[in-house]
């Protein structure tokens, strides 16, 4: 405490600039915001000293008035960009009617949203929650309750993939393989087996009569933007059918239009029993959902699971509007077209630059694997006005809004080339 006081606001703000952003880049107002956060927030997020205060379309502005092209989109949340006029109007209108009434009562929007999600997914049952992690928790609980309801007391096990990411609560973390996320919190939920993605034999061995559910991201997002092979997904379906286990697809990051289809699994025609979605669903408001087959309908009975905020009126209204905009503006086709142009530009760049090992992508879910650490490249791109993410140390991750102008992504490819060649701006 004493030390922090003697360091003063500037010291705290400097501590917040973990990426070494030069002090000259931040004015006193920005410094004060950073200092407060450093003093009072748990330092869970290693982040640069960048304070965003405004967004419009695919662009955001920081407190210093600098403009950025937002290619990470709130980690796949801002699928319609920032301040989309229809989202702003729908949220404002609903805020004036009913924001929240809890799940003690009905409101007019939950059923309507569930029906729309059922229509686009082919899964007729929906449980609403507030995040991707909570959707995973619901899936795990449902899978266990199903086993118990069938008198299969021994069927409590879970199978997941190495390099997968499903969230940070104890259940979701238990099916997330990354050691550094898990170690401080052990013991986690027992009975979880991990299988290397793509290893069909290992998958068949792991899924058995004690397996309640197999959880898979059809595209591993945090795991480096890795697209699982259709044959592996089909083998997952077959293994679950043979063992009597539920197949859960985690489409929290890759779902709801990101890959140019409503769901990534629809590309390959492998139908899961449960699907978890969140991120873009609420148009920036927290909303997650577990979508399930009719066979699972009776399992989460009265009182079996719940959430105070889940499926709130405001979030549901935003979600209905988000889904309507995607449909009416034909954004799935646009995502596919824009993604193709972006991938072509990035692959041309990769062919000319050994610093790029591989470009992976479908629609607007794009990973650029480098031959060097991604963090300094992310920082350099920020300096040139582009916000991008990174994962697994050497992969740049792009999750831009579905509405982005393809030309912006081509310009980004040019800038990335310049950064990787070490040219000065
Ligand atoms: N599942 C996947 C595939 C994710 O990418 C994430 C978050 O990045 C989660 C689950 C957790 O979602 P949330 O952060 O909304 O809890």
């Amino acid at each position: 405490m004493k030390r922090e006081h003697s360091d003063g606001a500037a010291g705290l703000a400097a501590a917040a600039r973990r990426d070494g952003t030069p002090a000259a880049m931040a004015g006193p107002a920005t410094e004060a915001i950073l200092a407060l956060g450093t003093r009072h927030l748990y330092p869970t997020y290693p982040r640069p000293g960048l304070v965003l205060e405004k967004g419009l379309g695919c662009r955001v502005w920081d407190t210093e008035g600098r403009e950025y092209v937002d290619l990470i989109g709130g980690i796949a949340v801002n699928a319609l960009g920032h301040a989309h006029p229809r989202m702003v109007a729908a949220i404002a209108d609903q805020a004036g009617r009913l924001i929240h009434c809890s799940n003690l009562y009905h409101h007019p929007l939950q059923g309507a949203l569930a029906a729309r999600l059922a229509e686009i997914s082919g899964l007729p049952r929906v449980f609403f929650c507030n995040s991707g992690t909570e959707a995973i928790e619901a899936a795990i609980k449902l899978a266990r309750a199903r086993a118990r309801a069938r008198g299969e007391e021994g069927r409590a096990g879970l199978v997941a993939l190495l390099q997968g990411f499903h969230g940070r609560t104890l259940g979701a973390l238990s099916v997330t393989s990354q050691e550094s996320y898990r170690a401080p919190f052990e013991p986690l939920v027992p009975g979880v087996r991990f299988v290397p993605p793509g290893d069909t034999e290992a998958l068949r061995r792991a899924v058995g009569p004690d397996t309640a559910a197999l959880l898979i991201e059809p595209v591993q997002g945090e795991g480096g933007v890795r697209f699982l092979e259709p044959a592996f997904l089909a083998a997952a379906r077959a293994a679950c059918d043979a063992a009597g286990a539920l197949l859960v697809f985690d489409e929290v990051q890759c779902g709801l239009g990101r890959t140019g289809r409503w769901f990534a699994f629809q590309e390959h025609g492998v139908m899961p029993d449960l699907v978890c979605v969140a991120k873009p669903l609420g148009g920036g408001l927290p909303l997650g959902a577990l979508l399930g087959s009719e066979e699972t309908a009776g399992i989460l009975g009265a009182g079996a699971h719940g959430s105070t905020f889940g499926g709130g009126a405001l979030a549901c209204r935003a979600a209905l509007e988000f889904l309507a905009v995607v449909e009416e503006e034909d954004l799935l086709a646009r995502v596919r077209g824009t993604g193709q142009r972006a991938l072509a530009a990035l692959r041309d760049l990769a062919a000319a630059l050994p610093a790029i090992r591989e470009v992976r992508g479908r629609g607007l879910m794009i990973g650029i694997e480098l031959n060097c650490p991604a963090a300094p490249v992310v920082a350099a791109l920020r300096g040139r006005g582009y916000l991008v993410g990174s994962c697994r140390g050497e992969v740049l991750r792009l999750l831009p809004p579905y509405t982005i102008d393809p030309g912006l992504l081509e310009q980004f490819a040019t800038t990335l080339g310049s950064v990787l060649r070490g040219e000065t701006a």
Side-chain angles (χ1 to χ4, degrees):
M1 191 67 136
K2 242 187 201 150
R3 211 178 99 63
E4 283 172 9
H5 279 299
S6 68
D7 282 348
L12 292 169
R17 288 191 301 269
R18 286 162 192 247
D19 68 336
T21 310
M25 289 179 76
T30 304
E31 292 283 347
I33 294 166
L34 294 175
L36 271 183
T38 304
R39 172 69 187 84
H40 291 292
L41 298 174
Y42 284 102
T44 37
Y45 304 106
R47 48 188 163 185
L50 174 69
V51 182
L52 298 179
E53 63 175 358
K54 193 173 76 174
L56 188 63
C58 299
R59 294 174 196 273
V60 286
W61 286 264
D62 71 10
T63 40
E64 302 299 312
R66 284 182 300 243
E67 180 180 318
Y68 302 86
V69 177
D70 183 5
L71 299 184
I72 188 65
I75 325 182
V77 167
N78 303 314
L80 301 182
H82 299 271
H84 189 289
R86 282 186 57 180
M87 295 305 297
V88 173
I91 290 170
D93 178 67
Q94 187 61 38
R97 291 168 192 265
L98 183 72
I99 293 178
H100 173 79
C101 67
S102 85
N103 286 304
L104 291 174
Y105 313 102
H106 298 272
H107 64 70
L109 303 164
Q110 231 180 51
L113 179 57
R116 183 69 187 120
L117 288 169
E119 208 168 49
I120 61 174
S121 68
L123 293 164
R125 293 286 165 172
V126 180
F127 175 83
F128 286 114
C129 51
N130 309 287
S131 66
T133 305
E134 285 179 54
I136 295 289
E137 290 293 332
I140 293 172
K141 287 182 72 176
L142 187 150
R144 284 201 164 176
R146 168 183 174 264
R148 185 134 315 173
R150 288 156 54 124
E152 300 175 317
E153 300 290 323
R155 191 190 282 279
L158 300 165
V159 179
L161 300 189
L162 289 171
Q163 286 119 54
F165 181 84
H166 301 290
R168 307 282 201 141
T169 55
L170 285 177
L173 187 58
S174 300
V175 288
T176 294
S177 70
Q178 191 169 322
E179 198 46 38
S180 62
Y181 292 169
R182 300 166 59 92
F185 308 106
E186 283 171 344
L188 300 176
V189 175
V192 180
R193 289 189 199 122
F194 289 104
V195 170
D199 188 338
T200 307
E201 267 318 302
L203 182 83
R204 286 198 193 109
R205 281 196 303 274
V207 178
D210 62 344
T211 306
L214 164 63
L215 292 98
I216 290 181
E217 290 163 86
V219 188
Q220 292 190 313
E222 304 296 310
V225 191
R226 295 190 173 278
F227 295 79
L228 297 187
E229 291 295 327
F232 184 73
L233 297 179
R237 179 69 276 174
C240 286
D241 288 344
L246 291 181
L247 178 60
V248 184
F249 281 164
D250 178 345
E251 294 232 7
V252 168
Q253 192 166 142
C254 64
L256 299 177
R258 175 60 52 195
T259 64
R261 314 226 172 261
W262 280 119
F263 296 90
F265 75 78
Q266 289 167 339
E267 178 95 18
H268 308 305
V270 177
M271 193 68 191
D273 302 296
L274 300 174
V275 171
C276 299
V277 290
K279 288 190 184 279
L281 179 59
L285 299 180
L287 183 63
L290 172 69
L291 318 180
S293 62
E294 194 58 30
E295 189 246 326
T296 62
I299 294 162
L300 290 185
H305 195 41
S307 164
T308 297
F309 288 110
L314 185 64
C316 284
R317 175 75 185 271
L320 280 163
E321 195 67 12
F322 161 65
L323 296 173
V325 172
V326 173
E327 175 85 8
E328 289 161 29
E329 297 186 5
D330 202 12
L331 291 183
L332 297 181
R334 180 164 171 167
V335 164
R336 292 195 292 274
T338 307
Q340 271 165 14
R341 271 181 66 178
L343 284 172
L346 290 165
R347 287 190 173 131
D348 283 352
L349 186 68
L353 264 186
I356 300 179
R357 194 178 290 144
E358 192 183 18
V359 176
R360 296 184 284 272
R362 190 171 302 133
L364 290 173
M365 185 164 189
I366 297 175
I368 306 162
E369 185 162 336
L370 305 175
N371 278 315
C372 59
V377 179
V378 171
L381 286 167
R382 200 165 51 243
R384 308 269 191 112
Y386 291 96
L387 300 186
V388 305
S390 67
C391 46
R392 289 201 81 75
E394 297 193 336
V395 180
L396 299 177
R397 184 166 41 154
L398 310 185
L399 299 162
Y402 302 170
T403 47
I404 194 166
D405 176 350
L408 271 180
L409 286 162
E410 288 165 343
Q411 281 165 28
F412 165 76
T414 305
T415 305
L416 175 63
S418 166
V419 165
L420 291 174
R421 284 189 206 94
E423 295 162 5
T424 44

